DNA sequence: CGAATACTTGATGAGACTCAAGCGCCGTGG
DNA sequence: CCACGGCGCTTGAGTCTCATCAAGTATTCG
């Protein structure tokens, strides 16, 4: 099931294709998403959909990690969110995707047709509630992110990011970063150098440990929280 | 109907109270919100609800302008959005309001009970669609805002803001700003001084005119758009 | 008219970006 | 096995933008 038609990414940007559709059924899905979808396998750094693509589907991650982002004309990128197992992404108000979605690691997602969704939702009470809750939660997250981007120093952004990841992964004090420094920078509205420098500084201050580039040990969570003002 | 129990605002922050409840019915509302709500009149710079308040209601603006915002421990403020006639605000995923809502000008809003909303929505197809669309649009707006906060210079932020306001008001090239410089600054993640300086610079560059502090004339919309990269 | 409030302008400094090397890891090929 | 690149990350030096501090002007309101 891990076929991958790996097309080489160009210029550091993810490229399209690289997935194999397969039928998928989730009649007893715990999240309340009992719709029928199609599983897709996506190679690392490949696009699931592009900015401007017709929004035919939305997606759920069943394996790997996905980022949604937008590109500015000057080539810079703003990452809106990271999605991992169980997360749903790709909802749109309009007919087009406003952001691109790309797999960070080799990933598996389920694509659900959007067409007819509204009708189904109107009939299914449970589904309706789920979607509501989901939409509201997304909004809340987007607003948290705005707060972070608008009113925080580099150190505060990094601290908040680490806590966010730690909370999501749940696993103790050691964090595995699946995303690159560039991804983190584009998520926090910083440069790669500032991310690196700030992490190094936090290590020097004994707040975190960096046994390797992609592994972070939270040593002083109190100090980390204190940074958030 | 313009009774206002004006309580003096403290320290530049909006204070609670200052509204008079009155029954309101909107059976043939064009927006699809045919729920029964209660109209409230709110004096300028007074709070509609505070951060942390129980989220019993959501609201629709029928007159005036409202801002939603959060306060940081250092006293700074991040404004999430401005709402005007017809806009709906105050939806929450959880039990509490995550942001405060305050009237910028003397305003009238209708409060709708949240309790039982989900049931009503599940039954009413049209209402259900409307809520969906609304939630999705809110998300899209929140993400635009993130993009602006994360990846834009002061000039770009101001330019985007002016275009946003011009688009919403729709009326030609003259913009009436109902909000203060501080509001604009807190919305864009800038300081009041930078907002002022940037507007002055744009005027010197003949991109805009500033006949008075709260009035902006868009002179060179092309240049304004060009700033947005 | 005076006081308060809102806004503008100037000088200075801190924080983050830019440009530029310099590491360290890893896969490739000799 | 080691040399060689490539890539991702780190570190340093200099610059620039925007925040801060501090007046100064305009407008509103009693």
């Amino acid at each position: 099931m891990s076929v991958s038609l790996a097309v080489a990414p160009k210029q550091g940007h993810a490229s399209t294709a690289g997935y194999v559709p397969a039928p998928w059924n989730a009649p007893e899905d715990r999240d309340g998403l009992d719709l029928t979808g199609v599983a897709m396998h996506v190679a690392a750094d490949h696009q699931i959909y592009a900015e401007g693509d017709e929004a035919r589907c939305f997606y759920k991650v069943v394996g790997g990690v996905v980022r949604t982002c937008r590109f500015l004309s000057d080539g810079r990128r703003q990452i809106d969110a990271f999605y991992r197992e169980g997360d749903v992404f790709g909802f749109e108000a309009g007919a087009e995707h406003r952001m691109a979605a790309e797999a960070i690691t080799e990933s598996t997602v389920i694509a659900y047709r959007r067409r007819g969704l509204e009708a189904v939702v109107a009939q299914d009470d449970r589904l309706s509630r789920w979607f509501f809750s989901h939409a509201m939660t997304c909004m809340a997250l987007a607003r948290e992110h705005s707060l972070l981007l608008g009113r925080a120093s580099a150190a505060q952004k990094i601290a908040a990011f680490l806590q966010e990841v730690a909370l999501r992964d749940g696993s103790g004090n050691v964090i595995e970063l699946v995303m690159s420094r560039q991804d983190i920078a584009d998520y926090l509205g910083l440069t790669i150098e500032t991310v690196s420098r700030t992490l190094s500084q936090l290590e020097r201050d004994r707040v975190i440990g960096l046994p390797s580039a992609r592994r972070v040990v939270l040593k002083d969570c109190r100090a980390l929280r204190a940074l958030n003002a």
Side-chain angles (χ1 to χ4, degrees), chain A residues 81-107:
Chain A
F82 298 111
Y83 299 94
R84 50 197 70 205
E85 197 172 325
D87 293 341
V88 174
F89 65 93
F91 272 119
E92 292 297 335
E96 291 185 354
H97 284 296
R98 298 263 183 120
M99 308 214 167
E102 302 168 355
I104 291 182
T105 63
E106 184 182 30
S107 303

Side-chain angles (χ1 to χ4, degrees), chain A residues 1-2 14 25 31 42 49 62 69 71 105 123 125 146 148 155 161 173 189 203 209 215 225 228:
Chain A
M1 176 53 170
S2 56
N25 223 324
D31 300 342
V42 192
Y49 56 81
V62 292
C69 57
F71 294 93
T105 63
Q123 285 164 7
D125 202 23
S146 289
L148 196 63
F161 173 72
N173 286 333
E203 188 182 28
R215 178 166 294 168
R225 258 178 275 117
N228 237 344

Side-chain angles (χ1 to χ4, degrees), chain A residues 203-223:
Chain A
E203 188 182 28
R204 254 173 270 130
D205 296 346
R206 319 260 176 220
V207 177
I208 62 171
L210 289 169
S212 78
R214 299 286 183 106
R215 178 166 294 168
V216 183
V217 183
L218 305 184
K219 287 178 160 177
D220 189 348
C221 289
R222 177 177 295 274

Side-chain angles (χ1 to χ4, degrees), chain A residues 10-223:
Chain A
K10 295 169 186 176
Q11 301 164 359
H13 287 173
S15 54
T16 33
Y19 61 80
V20 173
W24 184 278
N25 223 324
E28 47 186 338
D29 194 310
R30 261 208 223 89
D31 300 342
L33 266 187
D34 45 353
L35 299 164
T36 301
V38 176
M40 294 172 22
H41 202 79
V42 192
D45 266 314
H46 286 247
Q47 235 175 32
I48 297 164
Y49 56 81
E51 206 175 325
D53 276 5
E54 194 190 337
R56 284 195 214 85
C57 298
F58 62 91
Y59 304 82
K60 187 166 85 168
V61 181
V62 292
V65 182
V66 171
R67 63 177 172 243
T68 51
C69 57
R70 290 182 57 175
F71 294 93
L72 283 74
S73 55
D74 60 2
R76 288 183 311 172
R77 194 176 61 161
Q78 174 70 42
I79 293 183
D80 180 60
F82 298 111
Y83 299 94
R84 50 197 70 205
E85 197 172 325
D87 293 341
V88 174
F89 65 93
F91 272 119
E92 292 297 335
E96 291 185 354
H97 284 296
R98 298 263 183 120
M99 308 214 167
E102 302 168 355
I104 291 182
T105 63
E106 184 182 30
S107 303
T108 308
V109 302
I110 309 175
Y112 299 98
R113 301 224 139 267
R114 196 172 78 125
R115 175 68 85 194
L117 174 66
E118 279 156 349
V120 174
V121 162
Q123 285 164 7
D124 187 333
D125 202 23
R126 213 176 91 254
L127 211 53
S128 168
R129 277 161 209 271
W130 184 87
F131 271 103
F132 248 121
S133 162
H134 175 73
M136 295 294 105
T137 304
C138 279
M139 267 179 54
L141 287 177
R143 285 170 177 169
E144 281 319 304
H145 197 197
S146 289
L147 199 65
L148 196 63
L149 289 169
R151 297 273 152 184
S153 66
Q156 289 176 322
K157 287 177 179 180
I158 294 288
F161 173 72
L162 291 177
Q163 289 174 89
E164 193 182 312
V165 173
L167 200 65
R168 275 182 112 169
D169 291 3
S171 56
N173 286 333
V174 180
I175 296 174
E176 291 294 334
L177 298 175
V178 293
M179 65 289 284
S180 68
R181 293 288 188 270
Q182 188 63 60
D183 283 333
I184 299 173
D186 290 344
Y187 178 65
L188 297 175
L190 297 169
T191 59
I192 185 175
E193 294 97 332
T194 301
V195 171
S196 189
R197 261 188 265 273
T198 306
L199 284 171
S200 298
Q201 186 58 50
L202 286 174
E203 188 182 28
R204 254 173 270 130
D205 296 346
R206 319 260 176 220
V207 177
I208 62 171
L210 289 169
S212 78
R214 299 286 183 106
R215 178 166 294 168
V216 183
V217 183
L218 305 184
K219 287 178 160 177
D220 189 348
C221 289
R222 177 177 295 274

